[in-house]
Amino acid sequence: MLNIVLHEPEMPANTGNIGRTCVAIGARLHLIEPLGFIINDKTLKRAGLDYWDKLDVTVYRDYQDFLDKNPNAKIYMATTKAHKTYTQVKYEEDAYIMFGKESAGIPEEILVDNEDTCVRIPMFGDIRSLNLSNSVAIVAYEAMRQQGFTDLSLEGELHRLHWKE
């Protein structure tokens, strides 16, 4: 099962959207405090719609608490400071993909210790970053694609209506 990790997320709407994405792909969500909102924030629940109760979510006191409780985690760090793109790595089934807070990303001291697992989303020119929930969706779906979209519905169905008799 894929793991999405948010390091000190600030905006409840982004976290709600990310929670909804996690439910859609069967991923776990890990939230590292401090959070910029309370976990029962109405905006968080609104963005997650009726999916929040289906979400596998764990909250940690800080980054060290996260590491202590996930000692064998292979963690990819999504950052604009990475040397390779998110498509240049092979994500394990139980990979952890970490994203930083909206205003500052993942702290530099964490990135320096994990430089070989840092990945970036290519962007044009001097664009600083993408929206956090969009970034999570891009990288998470690449990980799922690499795994053959295991357990995801691959086909939809049109409901053909007969408008003319």
Side-chain angles (χ1 to χ4, degrees):
M1 177 179 287
L2 187 65
N3 296 275
I4 301 299
V5 182
L6 302 183
H7 186 273
E8 302 179 3
E10 299 167 315
M11 299 179 176
N14 281 336
T15 302
N17 286 330
I18 292 164
R20 186 175 180 181
T21 297
C22 287
V23 171
I25 62 174
R28 291 184 190 105
L29 180 61
H30 304 263
L31 302 176
I32 299 174
E33 293 181 326
L35 308 179
F37 49 87
I38 54 174
I39 203 74
N40 63 0
D41 188 295
K42 280 192 273 186
T43 308
L44 176 81
K45 302 259 176 144
R46 188 177 317 126
L49 295 174
D50 56 347
Y51 299 102
W52 196 255
D53 64 328
K54 297 170 180 63
L55 180 63
D56 181 353
V57 61
T58 304
V59 180
Y60 303 89
R61 286 187 318 276
D62 53 30
Y63 180 62
Q64 189 58 54
D65 183 38
F66 167 75
L67 291 177
D68 291 345
K69 291 178 178 165
N70 299 283
N72 299 318
K74 170 77 182 235
I75 307 168
Y76 296 92
M77 308 275 175
T79 173
T80 58
K81 299 172 183 174
H83 300 293
K84 57 189 161 197
T85 68
Y86 72 101
T87 60
Q88 292 177 299
V89 299
K90 174 76 172 105
Y91 300 98
E92 299 80 7
E93 251 182 59
D94 61 346
Y96 288 71
I97 308 171
M98 180 180 286
F99 298 82
K101 63 181 161 185
E102 291 88 342
S103 65
I106 299 170
E108 189 87 16
E109 60 270 15
I110 294 174
L111 295 175
V112 168
D113 290 342
N114 296 280
E115 188 172 357
D116 59 328
T117 59
C118 288
V119 297
R120 68 176 280 115
I121 299 170
M123 291 175 276
F124 183 75
D126 61 354
I127 299 300
R128 189 168 44 90
S129 66
L130 295 172
N131 173 277
L132 180 60
S133 61
N134 292 339
S135 296
V136 170
I138 289 168
V139 179
Y141 268 89
E142 170 60 16
M144 297 306 294
R145 184 195 67 77
Q146 288 183 14
Q147 297 165 20
F149 297 115
T150 304
D151 298 326
L152 301 185
S153 298
L154 297 179
E155 293 182 14
E157 183 179 328
L158 291 173
H159 298 286
R160 304 209 182 270
L161 300 176
H162 299 283
W163 295 99
K164 294 182 181 179
E165 304 260 339

